[in-house]
Amino acid sequence: AVAAGLLKPTAAFASDRAAFDAKGVDAVMKAIKATGAADSKDIVVKAPDIAENGAVVPVEVTSNIAGTNSIAIIAEKNATPMVGEFELSNGATGYISTRIKLANTSNVRAVVKAGGKVFTAAKEVKVTIGGCGG
Amino acid sequence: MMLDSKQVLAGNAPSNFYDIPAFGNVSLMHITDTHAQLMPIYFREPSVNIGVGGAVGKVPHLVGDKLLKHFNIAPNSIDAHAFTYLNFEQAAKTYGKVGGFAHLKTLVDKVRASRPGSLLMDSGDTWQGSGTALWTKGQDMVDACIELGVNVMAPHWEFTQGAERVMEIVNGDFKKHGIDFIAQNVVTNDFGDQVFKPYVMKSVNGVQVAIIGQAFPYTPIANPRYMVPDWSFGIRDDGMQKWVDEARAKGAQIVVVLSHNGMDVDIKMASRVTGVDVIFGGHTHDGVPQPVPVKNAKGVTLVTNAGSNGKFLGVMDFDVKGGKIKGWKYRLVPVFSNLLAADKKMEALIKRVRKPYEAKLNEKLAITEGVLYRRGNFNGSWDQLIMDAMMKVKGADAAFSPGFRWGTSLLPGDTITMEHLLDQTATTYSFSTLTEMTGQTIKEVMEDVCDNLFNADPYYQQGGDMVRVGGITYALNPYEKMGKRISDLRLNGKPLAANKKYKVAGWAPVAEGATGTPIWDVVAEYLRSVKTVTPRKLNNPRLIGVKQNDPGIADYIASV
Amino acid sequence: MAEPMKIRATLAGDVADIKVLMNHVMETGTRKDAKTGQLVPAHHINSIVATLGGKTVLQAEIGGAVSKNPFLGFKVKGAKAGDKVTVSWVDNKGDKNSAEATVG
Ligand SMILES: [Mn+2]
Ligand SMILES: [Mn+2]
């Protein structure tokens, strides 16, 4: 682990940066060592049905899987789908909330690592051009 | 009640039309989507309002005879005119104009007199829709609502006055006069804090009534986002459930939602959120005579929608005994201005706010030979006129006009004044545009808007109508998936080429930084030049998949 | 890049609910400048570390797909009022920032 508050420019787990250049979901899953992740109903991906702003889409992931120690977020239709991976320790619960960019209507996928296993769930977010109204 | 001398004009209106017997001990009045119509107007209900998914052929997707039959309304009656488009021209002449805040005020006062302690709620779309609302930044409507005695309000188009202006009114005039502006689903973009009060608790004749506000969930998508840059919206069922539970825990005996979701969204929300007695809805402008009961895990929620343009006043009476609702009665009362004397004070207020603008409002632009109206899923004669004007003035191949559901109607022989034109076009971003679009882009735009109307899941519906299309003919299947609903796009009979560029006129762009001549100036230029507007031929899509007997469509003529 | 971060840390039972707003352009490197037509170089936070009461509770690797002025929310069990929260980030150019707050 990195010392509190003193992060070096060389990232904590720099080897995983490859995931950010990976094109396509499969390549990202491979890069974050999550290939074959099992679909899980114990992961809740909360995101709006329709994005208000594709540049700022709120995403909340809650993992009810015991021993959850990492949550990754993937925007499937982005040119480079990897959004981020969040490692949890010392009492941090299986919960991450952030805001992401979506280029198009896309699944937002969460990948959870717990007890050496990987699990996944997704929620589709629609990106529309807007206009009109009642 | 006593009818005034204009009663004679009111055809076969029963003399006791506004005798609404009181019932129970808690009464809630409801208006919605008046769209700043202070004066009496004509308003034609839609003849095309197709339901999709679970809503095919169900309320509110009934028009004409089918609606009358469902609600047991006598054909050719005054109510038949109020709730349907049937025989519009003749019936409008017989029964006269509808709405007008001076007449509405008389009705509200009459209901209040027979129901002491009753509340008046407004589901919004109140500060937009007229020249005077645009020019006074909604102040005319704020003053009129204070005078009308509105107690609680939920918003949508209000936000197009800009976040700052909304806050100025909420913390100024509204606060001063005790009007609550409520919205549980608007939160700050930084830490997600509530922007407005999520709900208010009111004591009505000793009964605790909680009113929870729901703003239009898709305001930053359907309208310019830059007008509300620091706020996030959405449906937020979970938040709604939380506030319902909190209100109940604090002793609410009646829980109502004052909503601007639109009726299909309200019906879905009612099936998911428990503990709500009634949703008083707006946005989709459906004049629904009786509530739709919706079952959920813990009971039944009634869902209402109260039309638009000041045409209706909803009156809900509850009989509450021992903390429980024992019975209810609901009426959606049409406001016929010939049958309700104008309230003098309100009339004076309206005169005062209009005075500086009279010359502008009254400018005569042309005479119309046909009925001009807007409502309907695909096109209206007003929309067609706006598009014909845009294509002519701008030299465009085609035109798009937003599927707004507001906008008043005119009868054959009526003079089209600038006021009438502004009733169709007055928004804070009504710039006209001329864009080169490829055939492919045109299709993509149409598919995108079509999905906002016909997505089978109500939570994806944004409540407007289909973008009006001028110049280009097409076919449409409402039941298909996005990307597959629109087909056979043609210009002058020739299929659109995916890569070819076409000149498309439009107005009301939601993107930041848009500019252009106001659309009313473009249309006014056209009207002044033609002087007489011949009956419009509607460019209506050829429908695929819609059954001949679908109760949501009648008297439909496709243009191809 | 020394714009201040905003941290809000509230307590519900023994769970700290921590919300952080970081100030950063978060350029992906694939966006074209509207005026010049040139690609805007990538400039985004790479790594974030958060501690509570001196212990690391979260380490994140993020890229340009996180929105401008990144928001991060997380929850930590076993917290108590007065615990110190620290959040630090480093971006792809080596710029860094950190801030602290108290659970209350
Ligand atoms: Mn409306
Ligand atoms: Mn509306």
Side-chain angles (χ1 to χ4, degrees):
Chain A
V2 172
L6 292 170
L7 199 72
K8 291 179 200 143
T10 43
F13 31 125
S15 61
D16 287 356
R17 292 304 306 178
F20 291 92
D21 299 322
K23 305 239 192 304
V25 182
D26 292 347
V28 171
M29 294 293 267
K30 198 175 165 197
I32 63 169
K33 300 179 180 65
T35 303
D39 287 335
S40 172
K41 290 202 166 92
D42 295 319
I43 304 168
V44 181
V45 181
K46 192 176 154 191
D49 292 334
I50 308 177
E52 289 180 359
N53 178 356
V56 190
V57 180
V59 176
E60 240 180 66
V61 180
T62 305
S63 166
N64 297 309
I65 300 165
T68 294
N69 53 23
S70 139
I71 295 173
I73 296 173
I74 298 165
E76 290 192 350
K77 294 276 172 66
N78 283 4
T80 51
M82 181 63 173
V83 175
E85 184 164 10
F86 304 83
E87 285 200 1
L88 307 159
S89 52
N90 290 313
T93 68
Y95 169 86
I96 282 293
S97 173
T98 187
R99 293 166 194 161
I100 72 172
K101 298 171 192 167
L102 288 183
N104 302 294
T105 296
S106 171
N107 260 344
V108 174
R109 181 164 295 285
V111 176
V112 167
K113 294 177 184 164
K117 290 183 177 157
V118 282
F119 305 90
T120 186
K123 156 94 177 86
E124 191 182 57
V125 176
K126 182 181 167 184
V127 178
T128 163
I129 52 175
C132 294
Chain B
M1 85 178 279
M2 293 292 293
L3 297 174
D4 79 7
S5 58
K6 291 173 186 162
Q7 181 184 357
V8 65
L9 295 172
N12 58 356
S15 62
N16 61 350
F17 193 63
Y18 286 110
D19 286 340
I20 309 157
F23 173 80
N25 53 347
V26 176
S27 295
L28 302 175
M29 285 182 278
H30 180 225
I31 56 170
T32 192
D33 296 84
T34 58
H35 284 283
Q37 293 303 320
L38 288 173
M39 304 290 282
I41 46 98
Y42 293 114
F43 187 81
R44 180 193 179 278
E45 296 296 330
S47 46
V48 185
N49 185 8
I50 296 170
V52 289
V56 178
K58 291 195 182 145
V59 179
H61 300 282
L62 305 175
V63 300
D65 294 325
K66 306 285 170 40
L67 184 145
L68 296 183
K69 203 170 162 218
H70 182 88
F71 290 106
N72 199 20
I73 296 170
N76 299 312
S77 64
I78 187 167
D79 279 324
H81 173 52
F83 289 105
T84 72
Y85 75 95
L86 294 168
N87 195 22
F88 175 72
E89 185 186 332
Q90 191 51 51
K93 281 180 189 154
T94 303
Y95 297 112
K97 291 185 176 176
V98 293
F101 266 54
H103 308 274
L104 178 62
K105 168 70 171 159
T106 299
L107 179 57
V108 165
D109 284 354
K110 184 178 155 59
V111 173
R112 272 220 164 97
S114 62
R115 293 157 169 84
S118 55
L119 299 174
L120 176 58
M121 308 179 297
D122 178 0
S123 284
D125 281 1
T126 310
W127 307 348
Q128 175 278 339
S130 71
T132 55
L134 179 70
W135 297 323
T136 66
K137 299 186 165 61
Q139 192 62 44
D140 61 335
M141 297 310 300
V142 170
D143 292 343
C145 286
I146 290 166
E147 183 62 28
L148 189 64
V150 170
N151 300 102
V152 191
M153 181 185 188
H156 167 203
W157 273 92
E158 284 63 30
F159 293 117
T160 64
Q161 299 285 358
E164 237 175 89
R165 175 65 177 143
V166 170
M167 287 324 234
E168 180 182 55
I169 292 168
V170 171
N171 297 322
D173 282 335
F174 268 31
K175 197 169 192 180
K176 194 169 144 198
H177 291 89
I179 303 176
D180 295 299
F181 189 94
I182 55 172
Q184 71 89 18
N185 59 330
V186 184
V187 300
T188 59
N189 271 339
D190 55 3
F191 289 125
D193 299 324
Q194 298 293 144
V195 176
F196 306 100
K197 276 187 270 191
Y199 73 100
V200 286
M201 198 79 111
K202 300 273 184 185
S203 176
V204 181
N205 300 323
V207 175
Q208 290 295 107
V209 180
I211 306 169
I212 306 173
Q214 177 82 351
F216 175 49
Y218 293 125
T219 301
I221 302 167
N223 304 103
R225 189 174 63 237
Y226 62 83
M227 290 175 172
V228 284
D230 300 327
W231 300 339
S232 176
F233 292 64
I235 295 173
R236 299 179 192 267
D237 279 355
D238 49 348
M240 180 61 76
Q241 188 66 64
K242 185 179 91 178
W243 300 117
V244 173
D245 295 346
E246 183 182 305
R248 289 280 179 201
K250 287 187 174 172
Q253 292 162 284
I254 298 176
V255 175
V256 306
V257 173
L258 186 61
S259 167
H260 205 99
N261 273 337
M263 191 152 185
D264 292 300
V265 179
D266 279 335
I267 288 172
K268 179 168 173 182
M269 178 179 262
S271 75
R272 291 161 62 95
V273 174
T274 60
V276 177
D277 296 304
V278 189
I279 298 177
F280 292 94
H283 185 59
T284 37
H285 296 198
D286 302 304
V288 180
Q290 285 298 316
V292 173
V294 178
K295 280 197 191 117
N296 56 50
K298 292 188 181 165
V300 173
T301 299
L302 302 173
V303 177
T304 78
N305 211 275
S308 70
N309 288 277
K311 190 174 172 181
F312 297 103
L313 176 71
V315 181
M316 176 66 87
D317 298 322
F318 294 105
D319 186 25
V320 182
K321 282 197 191 95
K324 293 258 181 306
I325 297 172
K326 299 291 178 192
W328 58 269
K329 279 194 172 145
Y330 178 81
R331 289 174 191 79
L332 188 59
V333 185
V335 179
F336 281 103
S337 24
N338 285 343
L339 297 181
L340 292 158
D343 175 85
K344 290 290 170 244
K345 246 182 110 185
M346 185 69 87
E347 196 174 40
L349 184 155
I350 294 168
K351 220 173 181 173
R352 195 171 66 241
V353 301
R354 290 172 60 86
K355 200 162 178 216
Y357 310 107
E358 286 286 357
K360 238 162 141 179
L361 294 170
N362 293 336
E363 188 198 345
K364 295 185 164 101
L365 300 171
I367 308 279
T368 181
E369 290 181 347
V371 170
L372 291 179
Y373 71 96
R374 177 171 268 171
R375 271 305 309 278
N377 283 159
F378 304 111
N379 206 348
S381 44
W382 251 122
D383 301 298
Q384 189 64 50
L385 176 57
I386 290 167
M387 293 189 294
D388 291 347
M390 281 197 289
M391 287 189 286
K392 176 85 181 169
V393 173
K394 302 235 171 202
D397 302 313
F400 283 156
S401 188
F404 293 138
R405 289 190 170 189
W406 43 270
T408 60
S409 309
L410 288 177
L411 301 182
D414 281 353
T415 299
I416 306 171
T417 63
M418 185 56 103
E419 174 164 27
H420 298 134
L421 176 54
L422 288 163
D423 285 351
Q424 316 299 321
T425 56
T427 84
T428 51
Y429 55 101
S430 292
F431 314 107
S432 62
T433 57
L434 184 65
T435 320
E436 292 220 317
M437 287 184 182
T438 62
Q440 184 173 341
T441 303
I442 289 170
K443 178 169 189 304
E444 280 167 6
V445 168
M446 289 170 65
E447 288 282 2
D448 191 277
V449 180
C450 203
D451 195 55
N452 296 339
L453 176 63
F454 290 125
N455 193 300
D457 181 344
Y459 277 17
Y460 288 84
Q461 295 171 13
Q462 296 182 19
D465 280 312
M466 179 61 186
V467 61
R468 280 60 173 120
V469 182
I472 294 169
T473 61
Y474 67 106
L476 187 155
N477 184 337
Y479 313 115
E480 272 289 0
K481 291 237 180 322
M482 182 161 164
K484 292 187 168 174
R485 291 192 181 92
I486 310 288
S487 60
D488 198 20
L489 290 145
R490 287 168 187 270
L491 183 66
N492 299 323
K494 283 196 202 117
L496 287 201
N499 296 321
K500 197 181 158 191
K501 284 188 172 170
Y502 300 89
K503 275 197 249 175
V504 183
W507 65 283
V510 294
E512 186 159 18
T515 54
T517 314
I519 185 66
W520 49 83
D521 285 341
V522 174
V523 180
E525 181 186 326
Y526 174 81
L527 292 176
R528 287 185 200 109
S529 74
V530 297
K531 294 186 183 68
T532 301
V533 172
T534 52
R536 295 292 99 178
K537 184 181 179 291
L538 298 188
N539 187 36
N540 267 332
R542 175 167 56 86
L543 297 179
I544 301 171
V546 179
K547 292 208 175 82
Q548 201 82 53
N549 61 351
D550 187 303
I553 184 166
D555 290 340
Y556 184 78
I557 302 167
S559 53
V560 279
Chain C
M1 285 311 300
E3 298 275 352
M5 265 187 259
K6 281 203 257 180
I7 304 177
R8 188 191 281 183
T10 54
L11 200 61
D14 74 334
V15 177
D17 184 354
I18 298 157
K19 292 172 174 167
V20 187
L21 270 170
M22 291 159 256
N23 203 296
H24 203 286
V25 290
M26 299 302 285
E27 282 294 349
T28 55
T30 57
R31 189 179 69 93
K32 274 186 185 157
D33 185 288
K35 278 184 192 139
T36 65
Q38 300 291 305
L39 277 183
V40 180
H43 186 201
H44 53 77
I45 294 175
N46 271 355
S47 308
I48 305 166
V49 170
T51 71
L52 181 93
K55 286 182 185 162
T56 298
V57 289
L58 180 136
Q59 297 178 82
E61 283 289 299
I62 65 169
V66 170
S67 305
K68 182 180 169 183
N69 299 332
F71 173 84
L72 180 61
F74 55 98
K75 294 175 180 176
V76 187
K77 206 168 155 50
K80 56 186 191 301
D83 280 354
K84 201 167 95 176
V85 180
T86 72
V87 179
S88 320
W89 56 253
V90 178
D91 72 17
N92 63 326
K93 295 183 179 178
D95 285 339
K96 57 183 95 173
N97 200 358
S98 64
E100 58 180 61
T102 306
V103 175

